[in-house]
Amino acid sequence: MTDTHLTWPDTAYEAFTGDLTVAVAYLTPAGGAVVTSVSPVGLANRAANQVSFTTSLGFPKKLERILNNPRVALAYHTRTHGFAAHSHYVLAQGKASVDLQPSAQRLAELMDATEPFLGKTKHGRVWDWLLREYHQERVFVDVGLERITTWPHLSAHGPATVTGPSWPQHPAGQRPPKNGTTPRIPVSRLARRIAALPHRLLAYEGADGSPVILPVTVTGHDETGLRLGAPPELLPPGGRRAGFLAHAFRPQCVGVSMRTATGWLTVDDGEALYAPHTSVGMAAPPSRTVMTVANGLLAKQGLRRARRNGTTAHLHSLAAGVSPGA
């Protein structure tokens, strides 16, 4: 990829500034991908060729992996409860930088950007104390875009339009892990847990080293894995590590439910089988007040833990390009 400034298609810009929830993928040292959901609250700067999202020091593994390998991707895969109106699937790929100490002005601008998407911020003596870390200790991940690919349907069917370097060929298959490729968790249990989560996505490392995120359907399962459906010829043949995401959310991201998995993807003659190796989930109650309290308490606990165990110092060292222990 290059550092050339991209001319954003209007459909992409509308998704960047209007979607309530998007999928973000980053890479693992073993050549796999992790995909999760975030609410970017419209953080997009067309002039700077940059989209952004925020996270917390309470999720240090994500930040550590992005700092070690800044290639990331964002999939604008659903218009649900957002402001964009078209039906395009938009995949943005680029290189991330991490702002661990955003300015007071940037944090204030984030608060303003958040309210149209997530609702009015709660204020008052107790609320200000409870939400201090949640609002003031945010970490920004800024992604300089290098390629934008759009499909005319959210299912990624139809001809793709690419802005930036052309779409690469399929990556070669990967070497199987030493512990084997078969499922390491009960497939039937994972299938039950994602049954009510309508948005499903798969992520893997593309041939050019950037994550690829594609929408998939689960067409069935047995003890060998989940059987996936995807637009013809989009999934690469062979076997590889891949991440899986299933999630659901209500207006203003109340009542979020999410389950992520890592595992092994095998594509043979157009048939895709996903053997899950790990699975982690979360569910927030469908009450904005309860969710706000939980977010505030989790942010406080996460920050204290990160400072106590050295995570904060470690991430700052990585961001400064200092090797651990140097």
Side-chain angles (χ1 to χ4, degrees), residues 170-171 204-205 214 233-240 265-268:
H170 284 316
Y204 62 89
E205 182 177 3
L214 295 172
E233 301 181 356
L234 281 186
L235 292 180
R240 70 199 64 255
L265 173 69
T266 303
V267 179
D268 185 18

Side-chain angles (χ1 to χ4, degrees), residues 7-316:
T7 301
W8 294 4
D10 288 341
T11 51
Y13 180 70
E14 186 178 345
F16 295 162
T17 57
D19 280 3
L20 177 60
T21 297
V22 308
V24 173
Y26 54 92
L27 300 173
T28 70
V34 176
V35 57
T36 187
S37 65
V38 301
S39 184
V41 297
L43 299 179
N45 188 327
R46 206 169 195 171
N49 194 45
Q50 177 179 284
V51 295
S52 305
F53 62 93
T54 66
T55 185
S56 165
L57 289 172
F59 303 100
K61 182 60 70 175
K62 178 199 306 183
L63 291 169
E64 182 177 357
R65 285 178 170 168
I66 291 175
L67 286 167
N68 280 318
N69 186 342
R71 297 287 184 186
V72 302
L74 298 94
Y76 296 79
H77 64 286
T78 173
R79 305 289 94 86
T80 302
H81 307 313
F83 302 112
H86 62 73
S87 61
H88 289 67
Y89 181 86
V90 182
L91 177 65
Q93 298 167 296
K95 187 177 292 185
S97 61
V98 179
D99 185 358
L100 290 169
Q101 292 182 300
S103 66
Q105 178 180 347
R106 190 170 198 191
L107 290 169
E109 292 171 349
L110 173 64
M111 294 283 286
D112 291 339
T114 296
E115 292 193 348
F117 290 89
L118 305 181
K120 194 75 173 175
T121 302
K122 293 181 179 294
H123 287 290
R125 183 177 178 182
V126 174
W127 287 115
D128 291 346
W129 170 84
L130 178 65
L131 298 174
R132 182 176 59 234
E133 289 80 4
Y134 182 75
H135 289 313
Q136 299 303 317
E137 300 292 342
R138 302 302 294 171
V139 175
F140 284 78
V141 180
D142 302 312
V143 184
L145 298 188
E146 297 178 333
R147 180 191 291 121
I148 302 171
T149 308
T150 63
W151 286 265
H153 302 287
L154 289 171
S155 63
H157 282 86
T161 300
V162 180
T163 302
S166 59
W167 191 261
Q169 298 295 317
H170 284 316
Q174 295 178 335
R175 180 179 299 177
K178 292 181 180 179
N179 294 333
T181 62
T182 57
R184 300 176 193 171
I185 61 173
V187 178
S188 58
R189 184 171 63 190
L190 176 61
R192 287 196 304 271
R193 287 175 169 173
I194 67 172
L197 307 179
H199 308 294
R200 287 91 179 268
L201 299 112
L202 189 80
Y204 62 89
E205 182 177 3
D208 58 0
S210 290
V212 176
I213 310 172
L214 295 172
V216 294
T217 58
V218 177
T219 60
H221 72 276
D222 56 27
E223 69 279 1
T224 64
L226 301 176
R227 303 195 179 279
L228 305 181
E233 301 181 356
L234 281 186
L235 292 180
R240 70 199 64 255
R241 293 174 173 85
F244 178 84
L245 166 68
H247 70 112
F249 57 98
R250 300 187 185 191
Q252 298 183 350
C253 276
V254 173
V256 172
S257 298
M258 178 174 65
R259 181 151 294 272
T260 62
T262 62
W264 186 260
L265 173 69
T266 303
V267 179
D268 185 18
D269 289 334
E271 299 291 327
L273 179 69
Y274 185 72
H277 293 169
T278 68
S279 173
V280 177
M282 61 83 66
S287 165
R288 188 162 185 262
T289 298
V290 174
M291 190 177 71
T292 302
V293 171
N295 286 339
L297 293 175
L298 288 172
K300 285 182 180 295
Q301 294 170 359
L303 183 60
R304 290 169 184 163
R305 183 172 57 249
R307 288 171 174 168
R308 185 172 58 249
N309 64 19
T311 296
T312 301
H314 176 64
L315 292 174
H316 279 277

